[in-house]
Amino acid sequence: MAHLPPLEFTGNAIRILDQTRLPHAEARLELRDLDAVAAAITDMRVRGAPLIGATAACGVALALRERADDATLAHALAVLGATRPTAVNLHWALARMARALDPLPAGERAEAAAREAAAIIAEDAQMNARIGQHGLGMLRTLAEAGHGRVNVMTHCNAGWLATLEHGTALSPIYAAHAEGIDVHVWVSETRPRNQGLLTAWELAASGVPLTLVADNAAGLLMARGQVDVVITGADRVAANGDSANKIGTYLKALAAADNGLPFYIAAPMSTVDFGCPDGGAIPIEDRAGAEVREVAGRDADGRPATVRIAPDDLPVANPAFDVTPARLITGIITEHGICAPSALHDLPGAER
Ligand SMILES: CSC[C@H]1O[C@H](OP(=O)(O)O)[C@H](O)[C@@H]1O
């Protein structure tokens, strides 16, 4: 890992990289209690489906330090489970903590919770490394067909900032860059929270060539033949392969289909929710209108600044995710390889 981790659990505190300050400042925050962890997830100071799952698991461990009775455990699970609805990794991680801790006597729960949270973190890093290797093969083939260069478009941030290491959508890109493949990334800014700036910050730090574009430039770039493949992350993949991801992903999938380009979702199996039959069953988070009315940045002196771009009385809608139907997805890159959206049930560990 050539960077400080976005999440560190010391046992008495959770140290995160405050992603609302990036890319202008690398500020770390120490979260010392359950409410601070819940607020950090809700306010997206820590974000990204796998990362919020791992953070919530650490939050349970933190909550049980003082008291670990049934009521305390139930309260911690409920508070953290209410932070964000769409990313299934959050709910998967909390369910896993409940399974591990419920049967134990209260006196054993705090130590067991720390162990389980550490296991989730370690497993996440392994899964994403494998996603990178499986996606690497696909990028290598495209680069060979493209006279050595491959142009990837991505949306939002599904890099190491959204996971524990490697990322999901960015993992194949990092692997290709490390192998010496001439990979260039079109980075979509991703209004309104502009997580594309996080992707640009990550890629620039790793020396991966990139171009930041407004979200609405994606279709033209694809129509001009400047994009070879689109890869995004996911927050929840339904049993039939429909995939929820950051708002705007669906539009990129439509443009990719219209231009005959492959569109891949990169996600570990912990992001697949076999309890969701299709995309219609995936809860879509609606966030505060202020996120659309404002843009966060920095002033001329480099200090954090928020600029109001729309009046307070303007009606605003701010759905934070959309669903890309399986018919628009070429393949899903998981730790087991690249599979058709309809073949998820055949993968190891798939819930029947
Ligand atoms: C590797 S999952 C990243 C996934 O999570 C992001 O959502 P948010 O920034 O709101 O937490 C986005 O949908 C990414 O694709």
Side-chain angles (χ1 to χ4, degrees), residues 19 41 44 46-52 84 86-87 89 124 128 154-163 167-170 190 193 195 198 232-236 244-247 249 266-268 271 285 287 320-322:
Q19 299 195 31
I41 295 172
M44 294 174 62
V46 60
R47 41 128 324 260
L51 187 61
I52 61 179
R84 298 190 72 192
T86 304
N89 310 62
D124 181 274
N128 296 330
T154 192
H155 189 63
C156 198
N157 171 260
W160 61 261
L161 281 171
T163 67
T168 54
L170 297 193
T190 314
R193 291 295 297 263
Q195 290 95 324
L198 304 181
T232 76
D235 292 82
R236 192 182 302 225
N245 195 54
K246 185 54 49 200
I247 193 78
T249 305
T271 303
E285 179 183 15
R287 293 186 63 87
F321 298 93
D322 58 26

Side-chain angles (χ1 to χ4, degrees), residues 164-251:
L164 274 301
E165 279 189 68
H166 309 291
T168 54
L170 297 193
S171 189
I173 292 166
Y174 285 130
H177 181 69
E179 189 174 276
I181 292 172
D182 180 8
V183 57
H184 164 262
V185 185
W186 294 106
V187 177
S188 184
E189 64 174 343
T190 314
R191 281 273 296 150
R193 291 295 297 263
N194 291 349
Q195 290 95 324
L197 295 177
L198 304 181
T199 294
W201 180 79
E202 270 197 46
L203 294 175
S206 297
V208 177
L210 70 104
T211 306
L212 178 68
V213 295
D215 296 322
N216 294 329
L220 175 68
L221 293 167
M222 293 189 213
R224 280 178 171 169
Q226 292 176 267
V227 178
D228 301 308
V229 60
V230 182
I231 310 177
T232 76
D235 292 82
R236 192 182 302 225
V237 179
N240 72 339
D242 293 349
S243 297
N245 195 54
K246 185 54 49 200
I247 193 78
T249 305
Y250 173 43
L251 293 177

Side-chain angles (χ1 to χ4, degrees), residues 49-342:
L51 187 61
I52 61 179
T55 305
C58 295
V60 172
L62 207 56
L64 298 183
R65 278 174 315 163
E66 305 299 326
R67 294 178 57 183
D69 55 78
D70 290 352
T72 302
L73 175 56
H75 176 69
L77 294 169
V79 166
L80 292 163
T83 53
R84 298 190 72 192
T86 304
V88 71
N89 310 62
L90 169 66
H91 306 285
W92 167 88
L94 291 173
R96 174 168 166 175
M97 296 300 283
R99 285 196 303 275
L101 301 175
D102 270 339
L104 298 179
E108 297 175 15
R109 284 175 171 169
E111 189 180 330
R115 276 200 310 272
E116 200 67 24
I120 289 171
I121 289 171
E123 288 164 21
D124 181 274
Q126 292 165 10
M127 299 304 130
N128 296 330
R130 292 183 199 148
I131 287 172
Q133 290 307 305
H134 293 307
L136 168 61
M138 175 265 292
L139 292 180
R140 192 187 292 124
T141 301
L142 287 172
E144 287 162 1
H147 309 296
R149 163 163 275 209
V150 58
N151 295 290
V152 184
M153 175 166 286
T154 192
H155 189 63
C156 198
N157 171 260
W160 61 261
L161 281 171
T163 67
L164 274 301
E165 279 189 68
H166 309 291
T168 54
L170 297 193
S171 189
I173 292 166
Y174 285 130
H177 181 69
E179 189 174 276
I181 292 172
D182 180 8
V183 57
H184 164 262
V185 185
W186 294 106
V187 177
S188 184
E189 64 174 343
T190 314
R191 281 273 296 150
R193 291 295 297 263
N194 291 349
Q195 290 95 324
L197 295 177
L198 304 181
T199 294
W201 180 79
E202 270 197 46
L203 294 175
S206 297
V208 177
L210 70 104
T211 306
L212 178 68
V213 295
D215 296 322
N216 294 329
L220 175 68
L221 293 167
M222 293 189 213
R224 280 178 171 169
Q226 292 176 267
V227 178
D228 301 308
V229 60
V230 182
I231 310 177
T232 76
D235 292 82
R236 192 182 302 225
V237 179
N240 72 339
D242 293 349
S243 297
N245 195 54
K246 185 54 49 200
I247 193 78
T249 305
Y250 173 43
L251 293 177
K252 288 194 167 46
L254 285 171
D258 191 55
N259 289 282
L261 295 175
F263 179 93
Y264 289 95
I265 292 282
M269 287 300 282
S270 56
T271 303
V272 182
D273 180 359
F274 288 98
C276 257
D278 56 47
I282 299 175
I284 299 296
E285 179 183 15
D286 281 302
R287 293 186 63 87
E291 295 183 351
V292 178
R293 293 193 188 92
E294 299 169 355
V295 176
R298 64 176 175 177
D299 63 18
D301 300 318
R303 289 188 298 260
T306 296
V307 175
R308 181 68 50 86
I309 59 172
D312 280 342
D313 60 355
L314 210 60
V316 166
N318 184 17
F321 298 93
D322 58 26
V323 175
T324 298
R327 60 181 167 81
L328 295 176
I329 300 172
T330 308
I332 298 180
I333 311 171
T334 77
E335 62 270 34
H336 301 302
I338 300 179
C339 77
S342 58

